[in-house]
């Protein structure tokens, strides 16, 4: 880890701030509408991470305002974005760098988190500064008693914060951070997307309370509906299968370790003494080689061997934090209010040395879900709102949802929720909008979807058979008395035939059996009463 | 007027007693099933096209051996089953109270008993089902279609319908003839001097026959079938033949449809294959034959494409394989012309009665 941080000096030819300033399209700031959405979302995700990393039930409030003097200007115009959380707060010494410097965040490690490298929040600030020339205001407290306020600008060329003012106030409240920045935006075009983002976020964070107030003063409130917070993901060392040449080169350049096996054991995930030796033999390196003396050519050979060697243990998924049944259930029941849902949590799997877990949920019927299939994609609890068609989950749903195979009517109201958590989400682009078609990922999504579809199929057929039996019984109850009446008249019999047992028997044999089966199955599946 | 009169066999009242017993038995079976906790069911011959077969012996279409079962336990059957049970009950009431009903009346009557029919064609179809189950025509259940034809001749009948019981009438009392409706269909035949029945296709010729006194000159009962003979008329022809032993002759237009009108009277129709008492197998078609067109030099009309197609269809029909039937069809195909009964008027209004009818009746003896 130290290797990475020390190495930032080697970037100094062009600062990361400058790099992102020049390539802001890549990070989702391509136009005022998209920028407003991306800035909101990056700050909210930082806030959620700040709460979850210390298992605090998040309370997040977001506000987007016009500046009073621009109230009647047309879009795009300047907006004031405020995001406030009750997270762990930031030590005052670190706060300017945390927000005023690209690549300076608590996330530059291998661990499941919403963002990578803490880049998003700073990008939002950078964008605000570029478009309005105004500083950002950050207030943070780690103890709920001392509140530190900073006004910052970013020195883009030198990638460092310029502190315009700082002050400390004493008060009584909770720990947490509030960020207020001005930025060029277009609420008219961004509004629907931002609302979608909050709604979908609420679907997978039912343990959070989120409040959003838009420029017209309208309030969206997503209450906290469960006290279950996902466990804090653990930091983990990189797995050899996912390690690349550049990382290896830096590792070898900066390490103080002279024993090759020890270096491997210390720096890599699930590599023990025996595995390290077996690997070095496989890679045809002398066990006594001093790793600091390895040449660039040998490094290439080493990394290639690492990727080929199948003697490494698969990555451990203990570092991952899936949502789990309780959170998914709570989110689905409260946000989608379906008639039925099913959840499949797949066993951990891995691609290129990165562990991942796929969760698929399916919600059917009810008043909220419209006709047809609606796909909600999530990666490390972030809703993915763009480019569904290019996403591997979108493809899987399209390919696999052969409704006939599962006896699901064509226009059935259906919502599919996919969640992938990993130490590294295989995004296809920097914009974090869609996942690449990794075969391992595709397989797990498919299996998860199949599992939930099977549960839905069995629910529908149970529901159908109970309904059919009741329908039949009603028909018997309607016609048998008529047949009895007319046959009595025809035959000249004095009393009506005693046929009532027929209807009762039918009910006993069919309805009760079907209901018993249904009740027995109910526990394991998500029928909502 | 009549010189020799015949006593008539008492037949129709027996049938009525039998009919009541059949309906009661049907009701009892359904009742007993229900009373012993079983879903009632009824078996009857299938009327699907595959089960309609030609029986050479009786020269008519009959239903084959395939059966259908209508069971109250089947969700798709229980409604028609209920409708059928109701209809049996309703028909029993009609017969018992000596009331008649049209097909349309049945459709509306059902509504008073909470029996739903989607439309009249559905109730008509249940009526046909009941006919098949009890092997009796709806007319015996006092259910008649709207269509009616006429009868004229020296035949004494005695009404059995309510209000006219015992009242007698001679069917030559009114020159326009008498409607073959429910009262006439159920009337007993008492006495007649007639020696034959002549059925004609058209009202115009019927009137001509009455005017020219065919009934007395040929000792004939004249019937107007008004096109394709309704079942009440076919039933009447059958009774005249069976109960009075009168030969039946049929005279139609000289075209393929006329030939088929005669055939249905003689051999029945595929649509009524479930019924046996509607045919007169010994009946004779006496004209107008295709071969008569040249023989009597009759004015003609060209046959249409549809007419020709119909001839080809009938040529494949098993009823048309013997005697004059295929011969006349072939002649129609050859001359591709047809003519109407009125064509004889070219030679004077009475020629058909004075010349054609006696000649054809003579030929009929050798058929």
């Amino acid at each position: 880890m130290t290797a990475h941080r020390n190495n930032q000096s080697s970037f100094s030819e062009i600062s990361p701030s400058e790099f992102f300033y020049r390539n802001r399209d890549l990070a989702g700031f391509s136009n005022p509408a998209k920028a407003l959405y991306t800035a909101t979302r990056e700050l909210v995700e930082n806030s959620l991470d700040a709460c979850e990393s210390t298992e605090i039930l998040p309370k997040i409030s977001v506000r987007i305002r016009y500046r009073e003097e621009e109230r009647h200007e047309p879009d795009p115009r300047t907006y004031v974005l405020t995001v406030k959380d009750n997270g762990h707060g930031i030590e005052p010494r670190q706060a300017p760098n945390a927000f005023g410097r690209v690549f300076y965040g608590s996330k530059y490690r291998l661990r499941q988190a919403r963002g990578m490298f803490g880049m998003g929040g700073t990008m939002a600030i950078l964008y605000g500064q570029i478009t309005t020339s105004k500083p950002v205001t950050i207030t943070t407290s780690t103890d709920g008693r001392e509140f530190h306020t900073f006004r910052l600008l970013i020195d883009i060329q030198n990638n460092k914060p310029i502190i315009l003012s700082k002050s400390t106030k004493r008060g009584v409240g909770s720990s947490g951070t509030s960020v207020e920045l001005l930025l060029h935006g277009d609420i008219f075009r961004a509004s629907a997307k931002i609302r979608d983002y909050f709604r979908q976020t609420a679907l997978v964070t039912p343990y959070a309370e989120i409040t959003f107030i838009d420029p017209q003063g309208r309030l969206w409130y997503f209450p906290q509906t469960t006290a279950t917070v996902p466990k804090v993901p653990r930091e983990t060392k990189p797995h050899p299968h996912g390690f690349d040449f550049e990382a290896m080169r830096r590792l070898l350049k900066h390490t103080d370790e002279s024993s090759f096996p020890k270096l491997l054991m210390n720096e890599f995930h699930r590599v023990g003494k025996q595995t390290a030796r077996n690997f070095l033999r496989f890679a045809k390196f002398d066990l006594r080689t001093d790793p600091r003396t390895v040449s660039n050519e040998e490094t290439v050979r080493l990394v290639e061997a690492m990727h080929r060697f199948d003697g490494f243990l698969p990555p451990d998924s203990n570092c991952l934090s899936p949502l789990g049944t309780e959170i998914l259930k709570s989110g689905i029941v409260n946000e989608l209010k379906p008639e039925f849902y099913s959840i499949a949590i797949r066993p951990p799997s891995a691609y290129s040395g990165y562990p991942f877990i796929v969760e698929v949920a399916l919600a059917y019927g009810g008043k909220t879900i419209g006709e047809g299939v609606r796909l909600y994609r999530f990666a490390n609890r972030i809703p993915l709102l763009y480019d569904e068609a290019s996403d591997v989950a979108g493809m899987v749903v399209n390919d696999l949802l052969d409704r006939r195979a599962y006896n699901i009517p064509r226009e059935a109201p259906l919502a599919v929720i996919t969640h992938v958590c990993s130490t590294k989400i295989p995004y296809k682009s920097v914009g974090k909008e869609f996942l690449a078609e990794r075969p391992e990922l595709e397989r797990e999504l498919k299996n998860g979807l199949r599992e939930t579809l099977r549960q839905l199929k069995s629910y529908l057929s149970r529901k159908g058979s109970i309904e059919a039996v009741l329908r039949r019984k009603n028909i018997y109850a309607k016609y048998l008395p008529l047949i009895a009446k007319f046959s009595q008249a025809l035959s000249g019999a004095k009393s009506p035939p005693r046929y009532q047992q027929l209807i009762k028997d039918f009910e006993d044999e069919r309805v009760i059996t079907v209901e018993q089966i249904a009740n027995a199955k109910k526990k394991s599946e998500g029928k909502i009463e | 007027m009549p010189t020799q009169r015949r006593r008539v066999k008492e037949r129709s009242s027996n049938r009525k007693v039998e009919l009541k017993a059949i309906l009661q038995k049907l009701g009892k079976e359904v009742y007993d099933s229900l009373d012993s906790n079983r879903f009632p069911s009824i078996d009857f011959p299938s009327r699907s096209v595959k089960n309609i077969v030609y029986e050479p012996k009786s020269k008519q279409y009959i239903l084959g051996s395939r059966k259908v079962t209508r069971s109250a336990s089947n969700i798709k059957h229980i409604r028609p089953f209920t409708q059928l049970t109701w209809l049996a009950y309703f028909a029993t009431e009609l017969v018992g109270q000596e009331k008649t009903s049209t097909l349309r009346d049945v459709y509306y009557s059902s509504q008073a008993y909470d029996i739903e029919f989607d439309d009249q064609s559905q109730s008509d179809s249940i009526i046909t089902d009941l006919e098949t189950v009890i092997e009796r025509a709806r007319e015996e259940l006092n259910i008649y279609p709207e269509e009616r034809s006429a009868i004229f001749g020296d035949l004494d009948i005695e009404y059995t319908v309510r209000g006219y019981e015992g009242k007698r009438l001679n069917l030559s009392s009114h020159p326009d003839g008498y409607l073959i409706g429910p009262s006439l269909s159920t009337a007993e035949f008492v006495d007649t001097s007639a020696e034959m029945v002549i059925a004609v296709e058209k009202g115009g010729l019927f009137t001509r026959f009455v005017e020219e006194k065919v009934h007395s000159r040929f000792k004939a009962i004249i019937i107007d079938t008004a096109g394709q003979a309704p079942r009440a008329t076919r039933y009447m022809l059958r009774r005249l033949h069976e109960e009075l032993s009168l030969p039946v002759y049929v005279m139609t237009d000289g075209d393929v449809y006329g030939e088929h009108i005669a055939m249905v009277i003689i051999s029945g129709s595929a649509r009524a294959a479930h019924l046996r008492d509607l045919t007169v197998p010994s009946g004779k078609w006496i004209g107008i034959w295709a071969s008569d067109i040249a023989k009597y030099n009759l004015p003609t009309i060209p046959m249409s494409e549809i007419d020709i197609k119909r001839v080809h269809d009938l040529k494949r029909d098993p009823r048309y394989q013997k005697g004059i039937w295929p011969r006349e069809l072939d002649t129609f195909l050859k001359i591709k012309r047809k003519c109407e009964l009125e064509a004889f008027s070219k030679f004077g209004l009475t020629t058909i009665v004075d010349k054609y009818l006696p000649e054809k009746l003579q030929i009929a003896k050798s058929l």
Side-chain angles (χ1 to χ4, degrees):
Chain A
M1 286 304 116
T2 36
H4 295 168
R5 231 171 266 166
N6 292 345
N7 196 47
Q8 280 181 19
S9 56
S10 64
F11 271 81
S12 58
E13 298 286 307
I14 170 172
S15 92
S17 301
E18 186 143 11
F19 177 79
F20 280 106
Y21 168 54
R22 291 181 191 175
N23 296 287
R24 57 184 183 272
D25 289 5
L26 290 177
F29 292 87
S30 46
N31 60 58
K34 193 136 190 237
L36 187 56
Y37 157 70
T38 306
T40 307
R41 138 181 190 171
E42 292 292 355
L43 293 178
V44 169
E45 278 157 17
N46 277 354
S47 288
L48 284 169
D49 277 342
C51 296
E52 288 167 15
S53 64
T54 45
E55 293 190 39
I56 295 168
L57 289 171
K59 285 188 202 305
I60 297 183
S61 56
V62 180
R63 175 144 204 196
I64 301 176
R65 284 176 293 145
Y66 308 111
R67 285 197 304 177
E68 205 42 54
E69 62 270 29
E70 285 189 5
R71 175 168 285 276
H72 302 292
E73 297 288 311
D75 271 321
R77 60 187 141 169
T78 302
Y79 287 91
V80 182
L81 168 64
T82 315
V83 177
K84 185 171 179 297
D85 65 58
N86 61 338
H88 53 59
I90 301 164
E91 288 295 330
R93 279 175 296 119
Q94 290 176 0
N97 276 340
F99 288 94
R101 192 168 176 184
V102 173
F103 276 171
Y104 191 97
S106 56
K107 294 173 191 163
Y108 191 34
R109 280 166 293 172
L110 206 49
R111 159 171 140 173
Q112 175 191 335
R114 287 187 170 80
M116 298 295 274
F117 316 131
M119 167 188 102
T122 311
M123 273 305 297
I125 294 166
L126 196 56
Y127 173 83
Q129 178 179 325
I130 294 161
T131 53
T132 65
S133 308
K134 293 286 194 286
V136 59
T137 307
I138 291 144
T139 302
T140 185
S141 171
T142 53
D143 55 8
R145 287 193 292 276
E146 283 195 347
F147 296 83
H148 308 276
T149 303
F150 301 87
R151 287 174 65 240
L152 304 172
L153 283 171
I154 297 171
D155 177 348
I156 293 172
Q157 257 137 43
N158 297 311
N159 187 29
K160 64 180 194 190
I162 304 166
I163 302 167
L164 300 181
S165 71
K166 62 178 173 183
S167 62
T168 303
K169 269 187 198 162
R170 295 194 63 82
V172 180
S174 74
S175 67
T177 305
S178 149
V179 177
E180 179 169 300
L181 62 92
L182 278 73
L183 77 170
H184 199 51
D186 183 342
I187 194 74
F188 178 74
R189 289 192 176 78
S191 174
K193 224 43 176 188
I194 291 173
R195 285 201 308 268
D196 262 4
Y197 168 73
F198 281 116
R199 203 170 288 135
Q200 294 201 25
T201 299
L203 191 57
V204 293
T205 54
Y207 49 85
E209 177 193 274
I210 300 174
T211 311
F212 168 57
I213 301 173
D214 81 354
Q216 288 153 280
R218 291 180 296 182
L219 178 133
W220 278 268
Y221 177 65
F222 301 93
Q224 174 213 328
T225 57
T226 176
T228 309
V229 188
K231 66 169 185 168
V232 180
R234 286 211 323 257
E235 241 178 79
T236 178
K237 297 174 198 163
H239 189 279
H241 280 161
F243 215 63
D244 65 22
F245 167 77
E246 183 57 26
M248 181 62 89
R249 192 182 66 80
R250 286 189 222 165
L251 175 66
L252 297 176
K253 187 173 166 191
H254 293 280
T255 187
D256 301 324
E257 183 57 64
S258 58
S259 156
F260 220 146
K262 272 190 184 160
L263 175 77
L264 295 176
M265 285 159 63
N266 290 339
E267 296 295 334
F268 289 97
H269 179 62
R270 298 191 80 179
V271 176
K273 195 172 174 185
Q274 198 56 47
T275 310
R277 288 178 170 187
N278 289 347
F279 165 67
L280 286 171
R281 282 190 208 106
F282 170 84
K284 298 193 169 67
F285 277 89
D286 192 314
L287 296 186
R288 284 161 302 182
T289 312
D290 183 339
R292 293 170 295 188
T293 63
V294 172
S295 70
N296 269 358
E297 287 72 26
E298 283 172 323
T299 307
V300 172
R301 190 158 64 77
L302 181 70
V303 170
E304 280 174 0
M306 256 186 174
H307 292 173
R308 280 204 319 274
F309 184 59
D310 56 10
F312 295 120
L313 290 171
D316 185 357
S317 64
N318 273 342
C319 57
L320 297 181
S321 171
L323 293 165
T325 312
E326 181 53 36
I327 289 171
L328 275 168
K329 178 188 154 188
S330 185
I332 289 169
V333 169
N334 286 295
E335 290 302 316
L336 301 176
K337 299 176 178 64
E339 171 189 325
F340 172 86
Y341 66 87
S342 52
I343 295 170
I345 298 180
R346 296 295 305 160
S349 181
Y351 75 92
S352 308
Y354 300 104
F356 70 91
I357 292 176
V358 165
E359 295 167 290
V360 179
L362 202 123
Y364 168 85
K367 285 179 183 150
T368 312
I369 302 171
E371 282 189 351
V373 192
R374 179 83 155 70
L375 172 62
Y376 298 94
R377 296 171 292 136
F378 299 90
N380 284 352
R381 298 177 215 155
I382 306 178
L384 308 179
L385 300 186
Y386 290 96
D387 298 312
E388 176 179 309
S390 318
D391 188 285
V392 61
M395 292 176 193
V396 164
V397 168
N398 270 344
D399 288 357
L400 198 70
L401 210 56
D402 182 355
R403 286 149 173 260
R404 272 168 309 173
Y406 293 95
N407 280 339
I408 298 168
R410 265 197 81 72
E411 293 305 318
L414 212 56
V416 180
I417 295 121
T418 61
H419 178 235
V420 178
C421 63
S422 177
T423 49
K424 184 172 185 266
I425 297 287
Y427 289 112
K428 268 191 197 165
S429 73
V430 188
K432 291 197 290 193
E433 290 299 354
F434 53 97
L435 306 186
E437 303 139 66
R438 296 281 180 166
E440 301 88 347
L441 187 58
E442 196 177 326
R443 186 192 64 223
E444 289 306 316
L445 284 165
K446 267 187 185 164
N447 288 340
L449 186 59
R450 284 197 185 112
E451 211 175 294
T452 54
L453 281 169
R454 276 197 298 274
Q455 288 180 39
L456 176 62
K457 180 187 178 182
S458 114
Y459 166 72
L460 287 177
S461 76
R462 244 169 34 236
K463 184 183 161 195
S465 55
I466 292 176
E467 278 173 358
V469 167
L470 292 176
R471 217 164 32 236
R472 256 180 107 154
K473 193 199 139 199
N474 285 340
I475 291 172
Y476 288 153
K478 178 179 175 188
Y479 288 107
L480 286 179
L482 289 168
I483 298 175
K485 180 174 144 191
F486 296 124
S487 68
Q488 186 200 343
L490 266 176
S491 66
K494 289 196 177 62
S495 57
R498 288 154 297 171
Y499 64 93
Q500 288 79 1
Q501 195 61 30
L502 263 184
I503 299 177
K504 214 173 155 292
D505 284 352
F506 178 78
E507 194 173 10
D508 292 351
E509 281 167 27
R510 306 292 181 78
V511 177
I512 291 175
T513 324
V514 170
E515 277 177 354
Q516 277 168 347
I517 295 167
N519 284 334
K521 282 189 179 176
K522 219 171 269 171
K523 276 185 182 166
S524 57
E525 292 165 43
K527 170 79 173 74
I528 291 159
E529 294 306 318
Chain B
M1 282 298 286
T3 48
Q4 256 191 320
R5 304 200 122 200
R6 263 181 266 197
R7 274 279 123 200
V8 170
K9 298 168 245 168
E10 289 282 332
R11 243 194 122 223
S12 59
S13 59
N14 284 342
R15 274 186 82 79
K16 217 175 230 179
V17 174
E18 271 172 39
L19 175 67
K20 281 181 180 166
I22 292 169
L23 290 168
Q24 192 187 6
K25 183 166 164 277
L26 175 67
K28 180 118 176 52
E29 282 170 8
V30 173
Y31 178 92
D32 288 347
S33 287
L34 283 177
D35 203 43
S36 52
N37 270 327
R38 280 181 288 114
F39 281 103
S41 67
I42 300 174
D43 288 350
F44 54 92
S46 160
R47 290 197 312 279
S48 80
V49 179
K50 279 181 191 158
N51 199 41
I52 295 177
V53 296
Y54 183 67
E55 188 189 63
K57 204 175 97 204
S58 61
K59 295 182 185 167
Q60 77 174 94
Y61 280 112
I62 60 163
L63 295 181
S65 55
R66 278 175 33 149
K67 298 265 183 194
V68 293
T69 300
R70 189 159 286 164
S71 167
S73 71
N74 185 322
I75 282 306
K76 289 194 178 108
H77 288 176
I78 190 164
R79 185 161 173 244
F81 189 97
T82 310
Q83 292 166 337
L84 188 72
T85 315
W86 168 77
L87 183 68
Y89 159 80
F90 182 71
T92 308
E93 293 290 295
L94 279 179
V95 174
Q97 297 174 13
E98 297 177 11
K99 285 197 158 60
T100 64
S101 163
T102 62
L103 294 172
R104 193 137 192 87
D105 283 334
V106 171
Y107 168 61
Y108 282 114
S109 302
S110 64
Q111 297 176 6
Y113 297 89
D114 288 331
I115 298 292
E116 308 144 0
F117 287 110
D118 296 341
D119 49 31
Q120 196 197 320
S121 75
Q122 200 178 55
S123 70
D124 288 357
S125 142
I126 294 293
I127 292 168
T128 314
D129 284 349
L130 184 61
E131 289 183 324
T132 316
V133 172
I134 63 173
E135 295 176 324
R136 294 295 182 95
R138 63 191 177 213
E139 285 76 8
E140 294 194 57
L141 302 170
N142 288 5
I143 298 167
Y144 292 84
E146 300 285 355
E147 51 196 357
R148 285 173 194 188
S149 53
I151 183 169
F152 181 89
D154 179 27
L155 172 65
D156 288 342
I157 55 112
E158 186 178 308
Y159 289 108
T160 61
V161 292
R162 177 169 297 189
Y164 293 83
E165 298 97 333
K167 197 175 173 194
R168 293 189 176 191
L169 180 75
N170 185 279
L171 297 185
S172 59
S173 315
H174 179 65
D176 288 344
Y178 295 85
L179 279 179
I180 305 176
S183 343
L184 208 55
S185 295
T186 53
E188 304 278 351
F189 301 153
V190 179
D191 207 359
T192 186
S193 64
E195 289 173 0
M196 68 175 77
V197 180
I198 303 173
V200 299
E201 184 189 338
K202 281 181 166 164
L205 192 68
F206 176 81
T207 308
R208 167 93 44 252
F209 275 24
V210 174
E211 280 172 10
E212 296 307 319
K213 297 193 178 353
V214 169
H215 53 286
S216 53
R217 282 163 66 188
F218 297 90
K219 290 198 167 62
I221 291 168
I222 311 159
I223 285 181
D224 171 19
T225 67
Q228 189 62 261
R231 278 167 40 177
T233 309
R234 284 153 61 193
Y235 181 55
M236 175 63 78
L237 285 164
R238 165 98 174 184
R239 283 185 64 202
L240 290 169
H241 173 71
E242 294 268 300
E243 294 176 28
L244 303 174
S245 308
L246 301 179
V248 171
Y249 301 103
V250 187
M251 190 179 277
T252 68
D253 280 341
D255 57 24
V256 64
Y257 308 103
E259 185 170 347
H260 195 61
I261 285 170
M263 178 59 88
V264 168
I265 289 171
I266 293 162
S267 287
S269 64
R271 276 178 66 189
H274 57 293
L275 297 170
R276 295 297 176 86
D277 297 321
L278 292 176
T279 62
V280 187
S282 65
K284 302 277 189 285
W285 179 42
I286 56 172
I288 298 170
W289 297 351
S291 50
D292 291 340
I293 291 172
K295 189 171 165 192
Y296 292 91
N297 190 25
L298 295 169
T300 59
I301 319 164
M303 282 168 72
S304 69
E305 285 299 313
I306 299 165
D307 296 342
I308 289 166
K309 186 180 176 297
R310 182 74 180 143
V311 176
H312 285 293
D313 287 346
L314 291 185
K315 271 171 70 74
R316 285 193 293 275
D317 189 309
R319 294 171 291 183
Y320 282 86
Q321 302 308 318
K322 269 189 182 167
I324 58 165
W325 304 102
R327 190 189 78 200
E328 293 305 317
L329 287 180
D330 287 339
T331 312
F332 277 125
L333 274 186
K334 208 170 90 189
I335 63 178
K336 292 199 168 58
R337 297 194 82 80
K338 59 185 180 181
C339 82
E340 294 182 282
L341 285 162
E342 291 86 340
F344 280 101
S345 304
K346 177 186 170 190
F347 308 110
L349 293 177
T350 61
T351 308
I352 189 164
V353 175
D354 295 344
K355 185 164 181 279
Y356 186 64
L357 182 59
E359 284 180 22
K360 294 297 287 197
L361 285 174
Q362 193 57 40
I363 292 168
K365 284 179 189 162
S366 65
L367 286 176

